Amino acid sequence: MAPWSGFWAASRPALAAAAAAGTPVVVKMDNPNWSISEIDADGGEFLAGGRRRGRGKNAKQITWVLLLKAHRAAGCLAWLASAAVALGAAARRRVAAGRTDDADAETPAPRSRLYAFIRASLLLSVFLLAVELAAHANGRGRVLAASVDSFHSSWVRFRAAYVAPPLQLLADACVVLFLVQSADRLVHADRLVQCLGCLYIHLNRIKPKPISSPAAAAAALPDLEDPDAGDYYPMVLVQIPMCNEKEVYQQSIAAVCNLDWPRSNILVQVLDDSDDPITQSLIKEEVEKWRQNGARIVYRHRVLREGYKAGNLKSAMSCSYVKDYEYVAIFDADFQPYPDFLKRTVPHFKDNEELGLVQARWSFVNKDENLLTRLQNINLCFHFEVEQQVNGIFINFFGFNGTAGVWRIKALEDSGGWMERTTVEDMDIAVRAHLNGWKFVFLNDVECQCELPESYEAYRKQQHRWHSGPMQLFRLCLPDIIRCKIAFWKKANLIFLFFLLRKLILPFYSFTLFCIILPMTMFVPEAELPDWVVCYIPALMSFLNILPAPKSFPFIIPYLLFENTMSVTKFNAMISGLFQLGSAYEWVVTKKSGRSSEGDLIALAPKELKQQKILDLTAIKEQSMLKQSSPRNEAKKKYNRIYKKELALSLLLLTAAARSLLLKQGIHFYFLMFQGLSFLLVGLDLIVFSCIWLN
């Protein structure tokens, strides 16, 4: 009885006729038990499951299938080989035409101890890999085999007795820090709780509201056409600190001068610290143009740029007319507020005498420009959507972002004003105001446009300042935090959560664990790191980080790799700030590209604002084109940047990946290989162009 052939003979007459005629037919079944079958003229017998006893032609068909698969594998390998050759050629060209990250310094920088340590680790790893490969191949001659085996045996005994215990102890300590950080920020507690808190805020539609009733707020801010409107609007001072930012000064000045506020109750201070005479004259011309159009705007320039941005703001607040103003709004040179910015922020101060700061959210006009801006957008979306919003609603404290915020001038004066003691003057004034009992409000639905750094060099210097400054501030503020009379839980939040865990422990273990200890454990297999530390928890952390920016989910793996790549910069900055090294007080203005335009401002504005007359865009574009075509704006010759620390770490990680192949550790191999390639792209400054491959 042959139920299979009878069934198909009844349902497929053509197939049965073909079998009777002796025509060979190949049938591929959906059922895996009927993989390859053949009907022949001799009506051969079939075994259970549809398999024939004669396997001559079946083997031939399987051979063709295997050949097709081999062809596909060869094509894949050829593509990988061509990609590797292209990457190698690009690396060779960039190294040949590149400059190291310290080549442009006016004075030769002292030799970096961190780079020397990384290079020594690389040389040691290459030597150990050669020993392991020689021992694995067992040599080619008796003398070579005996010497290699003897040295390898001695090394194994030495590392098991003297190297593995301290390395395992350091690894366990970093894992403990990893778990502590996970309990606060990375995964399980704070980050997850913050995400849940953000979800709770969205589900219940919670957002800060002015204490006054809507009717009272409407009465307090009448229409601007009212002749007596100035009597109801508070006096607001607007400050725009800038320094050699000729790419963006026009847009920021224009946006601020178009704020929907009575002109008699607002004064704009353009605080120019530029040392370039051409840039100074351009900004002066722009200020004079708006003054002639009726805007109340003044231009201030300091001859000595002492204290950087903090010194600039402190100097501006010392003007005699500042006493006539109640609030001060601060915008960096690349920020363009919407016309209703003050109307949506200043009312929160009414009838709330404890409120010292109202902070708005940033939005980015160039977030899709390249891979680097996409990854920055993920971080900053989480920062504003989760961290700032949750902290603002539940504890009324967060770090001031330095721009797109409105301060009560009394709160600034009560907290000691701007101080030049660190490179994070915004965090400094926020901590001191919090210690003096002032409360903060974050408005997630009020946005202010700006642009992200588009080059790795600009982003790296920005991150160095953002991570060295908090350590300087922690050393200076710790005695004040201990002595102040605020609640104990607020002191604990500042010391352990705000500073130690988030500013010190995170960059320390990220660099030490994933860039040093993990590669070393490949050469000292007696010390181990569990897979969940290497893969699972970091992946979950990246998933939680990317939730506020769901359109960025395709970049979750590049985001995880890039965050680990940036750990070397953040670790170096943290150490320099903690121990007051020379680079801790380095202040470099983040380079702008000038992509923020008034067209972007109109396109991204709320619908009710698009009908308003914001700016004469055509005139601005014509002036910008004339200034850009001026012969005095000659382009400087550009060089490719080569980052030595990142390149050395890429070679260290790739060497460790090769060693992991001998240990047959799959997860560790893939992590080390892709992380090494990530460091290589960053070290050769190719991350900006890698977005082309991902798109």
Side-chain angles (χ1 to χ4, degrees):
M1 183 175 181
W4 177 83
S5 58
F7 173 77
W8 281 98
S11 58
R12 306 287 191 191
L15 183 59
T23 303
V25 179
V26 177
V27 182
K28 186 175 182 180
M29 305 298 297
D30 291 335
N31 189 335
N33 294 328
W34 305 69
S35 56
I36 298 178
S37 57
E38 195 170 277
I39 302 176
D40 205 359
D42 57 0
E45 297 181 1
F46 288 85
L47 300 175
R51 298 180 179 274
R52 280 197 56 184
R53 293 183 182 181
R55 289 181 173 268
K57 294 185 178 180
N58 277 349
K60 185 177 181 180
Q61 297 296 330
I62 293 174
T63 302
W64 279 105
V65 171
L66 294 177
L67 287 175
L68 288 174
K69 292 184 176 180
H71 178 72
R72 292 179 182 176
C76 182
L77 290 176
W79 181 85
L80 291 175
S82 63
V85 171
L87 180 61
R92 181 178 57 81
R93 289 194 301 269
R94 294 191 73 82
V95 170
R99 288 186 175 183
T100 56
D101 44 356
D102 56 357
D104 292 337
E106 296 180 358
T107 58
R111 192 168 185 174
S112 172
R113 296 184 180 91
L114 180 60
Y115 173 67
F117 172 75
I118 295 173
R119 190 174 62 174
S121 300
L122 171 61
L123 295 176
L124 178 61
S125 65
V126 171
F127 173 73
L128 294 178
L129 177 62
V131 172
E132 295 292 343
L133 289 175
H136 186 74
N138 201 24
R140 293 189 176 182
R142 292 179 177 272
V143 178
L144 178 62
S147 60
V148 169
D149 287 342
S150 175
F151 179 82
H152 183 262
S153 300
S154 301
W155 159 243
V156 169
R157 290 192 298 270
F158 176 80
R159 78 188 186 194
Y162 300 103
V163 180
L167 183 61
Q168 185 66 59
L169 181 62
L170 183 59
D172 293 341
C174 287
V175 170
V176 170
L177 294 178
F178 180 79
L179 294 176
V180 172
Q181 180 70 15
S182 299
D184 163 64
R185 177 179 173 84
L186 277 180
V187 182
H188 292 107
D190 184 68
R191 181 151 294 193
L192 185 57
V193 168
Q194 284 185 334
C195 290
L196 294 176
C198 182
L199 179 62
Y200 175 81
I201 291 170
H202 280 288
L203 292 178
N204 292 274
R205 298 181 179 179
I206 299 174
K207 62 179 181 179
K209 296 181 180 179
I211 293 180
S212 303
S213 63
L221 297 178
D223 189 86
L224 291 178
E225 302 298 331
D226 189 343
D228 299 327
D231 298 335
Y232 297 92
Y233 285 78
M235 301 291 288
V236 177
L237 180 67
V238 180
Q239 297 176 334
I240 313 177
M242 58 180 64
C243 179
N244 296 326
E245 295 173 282
K246 59 183 177 181
E247 298 86 1
V248 292
Y249 72 93
Q250 282 184 297
Q251 292 93 333
S252 60
I253 294 176
V256 168
C257 289
N258 279 276
L259 287 172
D260 194 8
W261 205 258
R263 291 194 172 183
S264 60
N265 292 41
I266 185 174
L267 175 66
V268 179
Q269 287 182 319
V270 178
L271 311 177
D272 182 24
D273 262 4
S274 303
D275 55 7
D276 178 21
I278 296 177
T279 304
Q280 293 178 25
S281 63
L282 291 175
I283 298 175
K284 284 182 182 178
E285 292 175 6
E286 189 71 14
V287 170
E288 184 61 29
K289 182 190 76 174
W290 283 101
R291 184 187 293 114
Q292 293 176 359
N293 289 338
R296 295 187 66 225
I297 183 171
V298 296
Y299 173 86
R300 284 180 55 86
H301 175 72
R302 296 189 305 160
V303 178
L304 298 178
R305 190 189 168 206
E306 295 180 352
Y308 303 111
K309 181 180 177 181
N312 199 0
L313 294 172
K314 181 179 179 180
S315 174
M317 293 298 292
S318 65
C319 296
S320 59
Y321 53 78
V322 172
K323 65 179 184 298
D324 300 328
Y325 294 85
E326 190 175 357
Y327 308 106
V328 55
I330 303 173
F331 301 99
D332 282 350
D334 60 317
F335 279 71
Q336 297 94 41
Y338 293 120
D340 66 340
F341 181 88
L342 293 179
K343 282 189 172 181
R344 300 179 68 183
T345 54
V346 173
H348 288 268
F349 291 98
K350 184 175 178 58
D351 299 329
N352 191 357
E353 297 298 326
E354 296 181 344
L355 183 60
L357 167 67
V358 175
Q359 173 72 57
R361 176 177 178 158
W362 301 356
S363 60
F364 312 104
V365 297
N366 62 337
K367 61 183 179 181
D368 296 324
E369 182 64 27
N370 54 50
L371 178 60
L372 180 61
T373 58
R374 292 174 189 264
L375 300 180
Q376 292 178 69
N377 181 61
I378 294 174
N379 263 339
L380 291 172
C381 279
F382 183 88
H383 171 68
F384 288 111
E385 187 81 15
V386 180
E387 292 178 337
Q388 298 289 77
Q389 183 174 209
V390 172
N391 290 334
I393 286 182
F394 291 109
I395 64 176
N396 296 120
F397 169 71
F398 47 82
F400 174 46
N401 293 119
T403 179
V406 182
W407 277 93
R408 189 190 297 270
I409 294 181
K410 182 181 178 182
L412 290 177
E413 296 173 347
D414 183 52
S415 304
W418 299 103
M419 294 185 178
E420 309 99 324
R421 55 183 183 174
T422 70
T423 58
V424 283
E425 75 293 329
D426 45 8
M427 184 182 294
D428 188 359
I429 189 64
V431 170
R432 286 185 280 117
H434 179 59
L435 296 180
N436 281 277
W438 292 97
K439 295 182 179 180
F440 303 163
V441 165
F442 177 77
L443 303 179
N444 193 54
D445 57 341
V446 180
E447 296 184 357
C448 189
Q449 281 196 100
C450 62
E451 63 177 71
L452 295 163
E454 295 183 6
S455 68
Y456 178 71
E457 175 67 14
Y459 180 64
R460 186 176 72 106
K461 291 184 176 180
Q462 180 195 71
Q463 292 299 305
H464 186 279
R465 175 164 53 88
W466 286 4
H467 285 81
S468 65
M471 288 296 97
Q472 304 171 32
L473 182 61
F474 177 66
R475 296 175 62 259
L476 297 171
C477 283
L478 183 58
D480 296 333
I481 295 174
I482 296 175
R483 289 194 303 263
C484 72
K485 298 181 180 180
I486 62 175
F488 176 77
W489 69 269
K490 291 184 177 181
K491 294 183 181 181
N493 175 68
L494 273 175
I495 295 175
F496 295 105
L497 301 184
F498 189 76
F499 280 113
L500 288 181
L501 287 178
R502 301 175 185 176
K503 309 299 182 183
L504 190 148
I505 292 179
L506 177 59
F508 173 79
Y509 89 76
S510 296
F511 172 75
T512 307
L513 189 63
F514 296 111
C515 300
I516 300 298
I517 295 179
L518 178 60
M520 289 297 102
T521 57
M522 296 298 100
F523 300 98
V524 187
E526 292 82 2
E528 297 180 349
L529 279 178
D531 293 344
W532 56 268
V533 173
V534 177
C535 180
Y536 303 130
I537 291 185
L540 181 58
M541 177 273 293
S542 299
F543 176 79
L544 292 177
N545 247 28
I546 214 168
L547 282 178
K551 293 183 179 180
S552 301
F553 268 103
F555 300 93
I556 186 170
I557 294 179
Y559 171 74
L560 172 60
L561 297 174
F562 182 69
E563 282 299 290
N564 288 334
T565 303
M566 285 302 301
S567 64
V568 61
T569 297
K570 297 176 181 179
F571 175 82
N572 189 36
M574 181 269 294
I575 293 296
S576 65
L578 187 62
F579 297 102
Q580 292 184 295
L581 302 181
S583 60
Y585 297 94
E586 179 185 12
W587 181 289
V588 179
V589 177
T590 304
K591 183 176 177 56
K592 314 297 191 307
S593 62
R595 295 189 184 276
S596 304
S597 66
E598 302 308 326
D600 299 324
L601 187 63
I602 298 174
L604 296 178
K607 293 182 179 179
E608 61 271 13
L609 297 177
K610 289 184 180 179
Q611 304 301 326
Q612 297 184 12
K613 181 180 179 181
I614 299 180
L615 291 166
D616 187 357
L617 184 59
T618 305
I620 289 180
K621 284 186 175 180
E622 291 177 354
Q623 292 181 8
S624 178
M625 291 177 63
L626 288 175
K627 291 175 181 178
Q628 289 178 1
S629 61
S630 175
R632 56 190 178 185
N633 295 330
E634 298 180 357
K636 296 181 179 180
K637 186 177 181 180
K638 295 183 178 180
Y639 295 91
N640 299 326
R641 289 278 183 174
I642 304 297
Y643 301 100
K644 298 185 294 183
K645 297 185 187 71
E646 286 80 357
L647 274 181
L649 277 172
S650 71
L651 298 177
L652 173 62
L653 293 171
L654 292 175
T655 304
R659 176 66 180 95
S660 67
L661 283 177
L662 300 179
L663 298 175
K664 299 180 180 180
Q665 295 183 350
I667 291 180
H668 294 73
F669 167 73
Y670 288 115
F671 178 85
L672 290 167
M673 181 183 68
F674 287 114
Q675 191 63 70
L677 292 176
S678 176
F679 269 103
L680 182 63
L681 290 175
V682 172
L684 296 174
D685 201 12
L686 291 170
I687 186 172
V688 173
F689 306 103
S690 57
C691 189
I692 300 174
W693 305 337
L694 293 175
N695 282 341

